[in-house]
Amino acid sequence: KAGVTQTPRYLIKTRGQQVTLSCSPISGHRSVSWYQQTPGQGLQFLFEYFSETQRNKGNFPGRFSGRQFSNSRSEMNVSTLELGDSALYLCASSHDQLTDTQYFGPGTRLTVL
Amino acid sequence: TQLLKQSPQFLSIQEGENLTVYCNSSSVFSSLQWYRQEPGEGPVLLVTVVTGGEVKKLKRLTFQFGDARKDSSLHITAAQPGDTGLYLCAGDSGYSTLTFGKGTMLLVSP
């Protein structure tokens, strides 16, 4: 079974731009969660999608948004990038519940200049 | 906001040494997960503990969940360079999300 894949692996953007990150979950997994990881704040929950609906949301501004497609693939978008958005963005999939065993992708390293 | 504090933040030891890392909170969790993250990779689940006082062993790794389900520890016996990585704990508060600690970075030198 293929693992969680994320594209692209690395991105460099400038302030004010927007970015879209993609995540393909493990086949059969319906829950997809997104996390932001930084050295200072650690791993912080952004949101979770299940059956194309946002089921849970963390405490991030509205510039961070996401969606899930009928095949469970998910994208997250960050608009009006700020320097502080530089981070590793991780996607995780689980069978049904976020609190089930989560399988993480390798992440997308975003650098905002 | 439920917080999980991990200590120490960083640990550098020699191969063969034993170590313990801690994950503490003032809140009760219905379960707690431990992950290991290696450079350039996402976290990988090591174990989930559910019952207060539970002890689980995974080869040289021993995980314990506190009686009150507010804290947990991970003990590694005879550490090896392959144990190097960021160890993260994550608590399930029962609200369908996980709260992660900031992690303990472990470096095991040959």
Side-chain angles (χ1 to χ4, degrees):
Chain A
K1 217 178 219 184
V4 178
T5 58
Q6 292 188 245
T7 56
R9 291 293 308 273
Y10 302 92
L11 262 181
I12 299 176
K13 293 284 187 178
T14 56
R15 279 181 297 174
Q17 287 187 309
Q18 76 165 18
V19 67
T20 299
L21 311 182
S22 181
C23 171
S24 292
I26 290 173
S27 177
H29 284 191
R30 297 188 293 171
S31 168
V32 176
S33 300
W34 288 90
Y35 295 85
Q36 181 194 68
Q37 187 175 32
T38 59
Q41 298 300 318
L43 235 159
Q44 293 185 287
F45 173 70
L46 281 157
F47 30 65
E48 180 214 6
Y49 285 86
F50 181 84
S51 293
E52 302 178 64
T53 302
Q54 189 181 87
R55 187 162 62 175
N56 288 292
K57 187 178 187 305
N59 190 27
F60 276 81
R63 299 186 297 108
F64 292 82
S65 63
R67 59 178 176 168
Q68 186 180 33
F69 302 95
S70 58
N71 62 357
S72 292
R73 191 178 70 86
S74 178
E75 290 181 345
M76 69 162 281
N77 184 77
V78 188
S79 62
T80 320
L81 284 166
E82 301 177 358
L83 295 178
D85 297 333
S86 293
L88 180 67
Y89 289 89
L90 291 161
C91 166
S93 76
S94 55
H95 196 263
D96 282 312
Q97 297 296 324
L98 179 154
T99 51
D100 294 341
T101 298
Q102 289 194 88
Y103 296 86
F104 283 84
T108 294
R109 172 73 62 185
L110 173 64
T111 301
V112 183
L113 303 176
Chain B
T1 303
Q2 296 178 305
L3 297 175
L4 276 170
K5 293 186 179 180
Q6 291 191 244
S7 60
Q9 286 183 293
F10 183 76
L11 193 54
S12 180
I13 61 171
Q14 296 294 120
E15 183 176 2
E17 293 184 28
N18 301 331
L19 65 115
T20 303
V21 298
Y22 300 92
C23 175
N24 295 295
S25 175
S26 58
S27 302
V28 175
F29 291 98
S30 57
S31 67
L32 199 134
Q33 301 175 357
W34 283 93
Y35 291 82
R36 180 171 67 214
Q37 183 178 18
E38 298 183 16
E41 301 295 330
V44 175
L45 180 67
L46 296 173
V47 78
T48 301
V49 286
V50 179
T51 306
E54 182 178 4
V55 176
K56 279 192 174 179
K57 292 191 175 184
L58 186 66
K59 296 183 182 178
R60 295 175 293 100
L61 279 61
T62 302
F63 304 84
Q64 185 162 9
F65 201 12
D67 291 340
R69 291 186 286 128
K70 293 182 178 181
D71 52 80
S72 182
S73 64
L74 159 59
H75 181 80
I76 301 179
T77 303
Q80 299 177 359
D83 296 326
T84 292
L86 179 68
Y87 288 81
L88 295 159
C89 64
D92 174 5
S93 61
Y95 295 102
S96 300
T97 61
L98 289 176
T99 300
F100 279 83
K102 292 185 180 181
T104 292
M105 185 64 220
L106 173 65
L107 175 63
V108 183
S109 302

